[in-house]
Amino acid sequence: VQLVESGGGLVQAGGSLRLSCTVHIFNNEAYTIGWFRQAPGKEREGLSCISLSDGSTFYPTSMKDRFTISTDNSGNKVYLQMDRLESEDTATYFCGAANWPVEPGLCTTAYHLWNFWGQGTQVTVSS
């Protein structure tokens, strides 16, 4: 599995960004794709997950209002739409792939279940 993030950049507070995760899967396994972020000096934080098999999604409560995860029809791209961005959203954003169904633990803290990661894309929100 290969994952490549794109779409990061500099945006003003209150603005929006859409991140893309290009997904290449070279086997017949079913994967969940998740978006995470990590700011300097802070722990990694789960933002959202989506199953490539059935489209089910999960959002931590704090992320539901401003973040939306989706895929294209082919399932080769997973998007994270981020709205009403705040300076606290400044971080490196990663997508990951896990051979697990969508569930709250997977999408928030069970980082050991994530088999593959992209290289990350930087998002900077200026206030």
Side-chain angles (χ1 to χ4, degrees):
V1 176
Q2 292 181 348
L3 306 168
V4 179
E5 302 94 337
S6 60
L10 176 64
V11 62
Q12 287 190 332
S16 298
L17 274 179
R18 189 176 78 160
L19 305 182
S20 297
C21 176
T22 301
V23 181
H24 297 287
I25 297 176
F26 304 106
N27 56 43
N28 293 321
E29 303 288 338
Y31 286 92
T32 290
I33 304 298
W35 280 100
F36 299 80
R37 69 184 179 188
Q38 189 162 20
K42 294 187 177 181
E43 293 187 356
R44 192 178 322 181
E45 184 176 25
L47 305 176
S48 184
C49 288
I50 189 166
S51 167
L52 296 183
S53 299
D54 60 16
S56 58
T57 61
F58 175 82
Y59 298 87
T61 302
S62 60
M63 304 299 168
K64 280 184 179 179
D65 290 339
R66 299 188 297 120
F67 294 170
T68 305
I69 195 169
S70 63
T71 66
D72 66 355
N73 290 335
S74 68
N76 290 336
K77 285 191 182 291
V78 177
Y79 303 106
L80 183 69
Q81 177 69 36
M82 306 187 294
D83 299 316
R84 302 190 305 281
L85 285 164
E86 305 165 354
S87 58
E88 291 77 15
D89 295 317
T90 296
T92 301
Y93 286 68
F94 299 89
C95 61
N99 190 208
W100 281 82
V102 170
E103 56 184 49
L106 174 72
C107 300
T108 54
T109 58
Y111 304 125
H112 61 285
L113 296 179
W114 292 88
N115 310 96
F116 305 95
W117 294 95
Q119 81 289 351
T121 185
Q122 178 67 35
V123 172
T124 302
V125 183
S126 63
S127 56

